[in-house]
Amino acid sequence: VRDAIASGKIGREPNAKGKFSAAEAERLWQEVREMNRKETLQRMVDNTPANYELITSEERLSELLSALMSEKEVAVDTETTGVVVYTDVIVGMSFTLPSVSIVPKAEIGWNVYIPNDHEEERKQLPLDYVLETLKPFLYTEKVGKVLHNAMFDIAMFRRHDSDLKGVI
């Protein structure tokens, strides 16, 4: 908070005098945290490698399915509202396709994220539609699926009436 005030990013309330109260320090800290979060997210967006893509259209999802089916192994991850498989839900999925190149002269590999229920107002595909579209990939054992937290991700797919076959 002190650094943010010194740099001019934030200021004290106009009628604040003397020492900080605990309430003012907490309010300013929350303001600084939110500013830092937004700056960090923007920096991440600005520095996203060319072979990373946000999938938000039906056409691109269909192209992803074709690419997924051509891979030998794919990394799979779910993003959820929490860690309780009985109550939390999937809000996004990420896939890494190691042998596909979508950008000329870029690194091999296609890394995608499909947001489904984020609070932002940008375009997103409905989770049920994504799961139905990706069903041939999810259910095939011909394409290996690599997961960091397999038991949790498998349970989350099952929670949404999908299964994940071919986990290696």
Short mmCIF file of all heavy atoms in Angstrom, two decimals, residues 1-10 35:
data_model
loop_
_atom_site.label_atom_id
_atom_site.label_comp_id
_atom_site.label_asym_id
_atom_site.label_seq_id
_atom_site.Cartn_x
_atom_site.Cartn_y
_atom_site.Cartn_z
N VAL A 1 0.84 -1.18 0.00
CA VAL A 1 0.00 0.00 0.00
C VAL A 1 0.88 1.25 0.00
O VAL A 1 0.64 2.18 -0.75
CB VAL A 1 -0.97 0.00 1.21
CG1 VAL A 1 -1.67 1.33 1.37
CG2 VAL A 1 -1.98 -1.13 1.08
N ARG A 2 1.92 1.21 0.83
CA ARG A 2 2.83 2.35 0.90
C ARG A 2 3.47 2.62 -0.46
O ARG A 2 3.54 3.77 -0.90
CB ARG A 2 3.90 2.09 1.95
CG ARG A 2 4.82 3.24 2.19
CD ARG A 2 5.84 2.97 3.26
NE ARG A 2 5.50 1.73 3.97
CZ ARG A 2 6.26 1.13 4.84
NH1 ARG A 2 7.41 1.63 5.16
NH2 ARG A 2 5.90 0.02 5.42
N ASP A 3 3.94 1.56 -1.15
CA ASP A 3 4.56 1.73 -2.46
C ASP A 3 3.56 2.27 -3.48
O ASP A 3 3.90 3.10 -4.32
CB ASP A 3 5.14 0.41 -2.95
CG ASP A 3 6.34 -0.06 -2.14
OD1 ASP A 3 6.92 0.77 -1.40
OD2 ASP A 3 6.68 -1.25 -2.24
N ALA A 4 2.33 1.79 -3.43
CA ALA A 4 1.30 2.25 -4.37
C ALA A 4 0.97 3.72 -4.14
O ALA A 4 0.76 4.48 -5.09
CB ALA A 4 0.05 1.39 -4.24
N ILE A 5 0.94 4.14 -2.89
CA ILE A 5 0.69 5.56 -2.59
C ILE A 5 1.89 6.40 -3.05
O ILE A 5 1.72 7.43 -3.69
CB ILE A 5 0.42 5.76 -1.08
CG1 ILE A 5 -0.94 5.16 -0.71
CG2 ILE A 5 0.46 7.25 -0.72
CD1 ILE A 5 -1.24 5.17 0.78
N ALA A 6 3.10 5.93 -2.75
CA ALA A 6 4.31 6.68 -3.12
C ALA A 6 4.45 6.83 -4.63
O ALA A 6 4.91 7.87 -5.12
CB ALA A 6 5.55 5.98 -2.55
N SER A 7 4.02 5.81 -5.38
CA SER A 7 4.14 5.88 -6.84
C SER A 7 2.97 6.62 -7.49
O SER A 7 2.96 6.83 -8.69
CB SER A 7 4.24 4.48 -7.43
OG SER A 7 3.01 3.78 -7.27
N GLY A 8 1.96 6.96 -6.69
CA GLY A 8 0.82 7.69 -7.22
C GLY A 8 -0.27 6.81 -7.80
O GLY A 8 -1.23 7.31 -8.39
N LYS A 9 -0.16 5.50 -7.64
CA LYS A 9 -1.20 4.59 -8.16
C LYS A 9 -2.51 4.74 -7.40
O LYS A 9 -3.58 4.61 -7.97
CB LYS A 9 -0.74 3.14 -8.06
CG LYS A 9 0.24 2.72 -9.12
CD LYS A 9 0.50 1.23 -8.99
CE LYS A 9 1.28 0.72 -10.16
NZ LYS A 9 1.48 -0.74 -10.08
N ILE A 10 -2.41 4.96 -6.10
CA ILE A 10 -3.60 5.15 -5.27
C ILE A 10 -3.34 6.30 -4.31
O ILE A 10 -2.20 6.74 -4.16
CB ILE A 10 -3.98 3.88 -4.46
CG1 ILE A 10 -2.85 3.50 -3.49
CG2 ILE A 10 -4.34 2.73 -5.37
CD1 ILE A 10 -3.24 2.44 -2.49
N MET A 35 -5.84 -4.06 -8.53
CA MET A 35 -5.03 -3.43 -9.58
C MET A 35 -3.92 -4.38 -10.04
O MET A 35 -3.69 -4.54 -11.24
CB MET A 35 -4.42 -2.11 -9.08
CG MET A 35 -5.42 -0.99 -8.96
SD MET A 35 -4.75 0.49 -8.16
CE MET A 35 -3.21 0.73 -8.97
#
